Amino acid sequence: MKGLSVVIAAFDALPDIEVQLAALTEQTYCDALEVIISDNENSPELHEYVGAHPSREQLSLRVVDSFDLPGTSHARNVGTRAAKYDTIAYCDQDDAVHPEWAQSLVDSMRSADLVGGPLERDTLNDPVVASWRALPDPSAPVVLGRHLPMSFGCNLAVRRTVFDAVDGWDESYPTAGSDVDFCWRVQAAGYRFGWASAATVAYRFRTSMRQSYSQAAQYGCAEARAAKQHGAPGRQWWWFPIHVAVVAATAPVWPWGWSRRRRGAWMWVTGNLVGRIQGSVRYRTLYW
C-alpha cells in the first residue's frame, strides 16, 4: 500500500520522544503517513501518553509491544511487521527529523531500495557537547571498513519487500552495529543503496562523558564484529598508530586537554579506539 510507515524503537522514551513527534507533525510529506512506536520497555506511561497525544490522529500514531526481547533491532522488527505501508522509515526517540526528511527519503526511494540521510549535531546539543564528536560529511554516505556504504539506524528507509527478503534486522545485534549489518546485508543481497542528502536528522549526543565513552566503545566493538562477518578489510594499517598518537597527544593529563570540550572529545576518540581493540580480540580480526 502506498504511504510511509515511520517506526520508532522506544525504551525510556519519555519525555524526549515529544521532540521527535513534534518534528514529525511538521513534515512537508503529504501522502499517507503512520507513526508506530515499538515499546521495548512495557511502559504503561507510554501507552497513556500516546493515547492522549494531540497529534495522534494526524500522525496515525499507535504503540505496538516489543518488550518480550530487549534491543533496538527487535523493536524495529516488531514495528516494521506491524506497518501497513510499502515504505518503512526509521528514526530514534530522542532525535528530531527536519521538515523535509520524509519527502526526501521517499523521493530517493524511486531509484533505490534502501536510503539513508545525514545527521547534524547543532540543533539538539549545546556547543560544548556538540564539539565532542564529528559527524560524517552530509553530502555522501559513510563507508565503514572500506566495504560498503551505510546509514545510521536513526535515519534510514527501506522497502518492506526488501526488509522481508533479508529477514529484517539481526536481533543478535541488540543496539550498536545493527545498522551496519542491516545496510551491508541488504546490499549483499543485490539491492540498491541510495542517499537523500536533504533528509537530515538532528542527532542528540550523550551529555555525560562516561556515556559518550561507552557508546563509542560499543560502536567500535560492534563494527569489528560486522567487519568480520561481512569480510570488510577495515582501515588502512597506518590509521591505528595515528589514532593512538591522537589519544596520547590530547589526553587530559596535558594542560591543553583540561577543558570540558577537550576532555569530551578525548573520551570519544579513546572509547572508539578501545572498542576497536576489544572487537578485534573478541572476534579475532584486525579492525583497529
Side-chain angles (χ1 to χ4, degrees), residues 88-108:
I88 313 297
Y90 301 101
C91 60
D92 281 358
Q93 64 185 29
D94 55 351
D95 298 332
V97 296
H98 282 209
E100 303 83 9
W101 177 73
Q103 187 63 60
S104 297
L105 289 175
V106 170
D107 288 345
S108 295

Side-chain angles (χ1 to χ4, degrees), residues 11-172:
F11 186 92
D12 194 20
L14 298 172
D16 287 343
I17 198 171
E18 175 57 33
V19 175
Q20 185 64 282
L21 294 180
L24 286 167
T25 65
E26 299 297 324
Q27 293 300 292
T28 59
Y29 180 74
C30 297
D31 288 334
L33 174 80
E34 67 170 349
V35 177
I36 302 167
I37 300 175
S38 186
D39 178 13
N40 200 229
E41 183 186 11
N42 192 16
S43 169
E45 294 80 11
L46 181 62
H47 281 260
E48 182 179 354
Y49 166 81
V50 170
H53 198 278
S55 300
R56 184 166 57 90
E57 292 188 5
Q58 176 187 351
L59 297 175
S60 296
L61 186 60
R62 57 193 170 104
V63 179
V64 296
D65 290 328
S66 58
F67 54 80
D68 54 313
L69 182 69
T72 303
S73 294
H74 178 64
R76 286 175 177 156
N77 281 340
V78 171
T80 303
R81 290 174 180 136
K84 64 182 181 181
Y85 295 124
D86 296 335
T87 302
I88 313 297
Y90 301 101
C91 60
D92 281 358
Q93 64 185 29
D94 55 351
D95 298 332
V97 296
H98 282 209
E100 303 83 9
W101 177 73
Q103 187 63 60
S104 297
L105 289 175
V106 170
D107 288 345
S108 295
M109 291 292 286
R110 295 172 185 163
S111 58
D113 305 297
L114 174 74
V115 172
L119 309 180
E120 59 91 353
R121 62 185 181 177
D122 298 320
T123 301
L124 297 180
N125 304 292
D126 74 56
V128 171
V129 172
S131 71
W132 290 355
R133 173 183 170 191
L135 291 176
D137 180 353
S139 65
V142 63
V143 178
L144 291 177
R146 293 187 291 149
H147 189 49
L148 292 168
M150 58 81 63
S151 184
F152 299 103
C154 59
N155 191 1
L156 194 63
V158 66
R159 297 183 191 278
R160 174 62 188 273
T161 54
V162 174
F163 171 91
D164 291 335
V166 300
D167 200 26
W169 297 75
D170 185 345
E171 296 179 3
S172 69

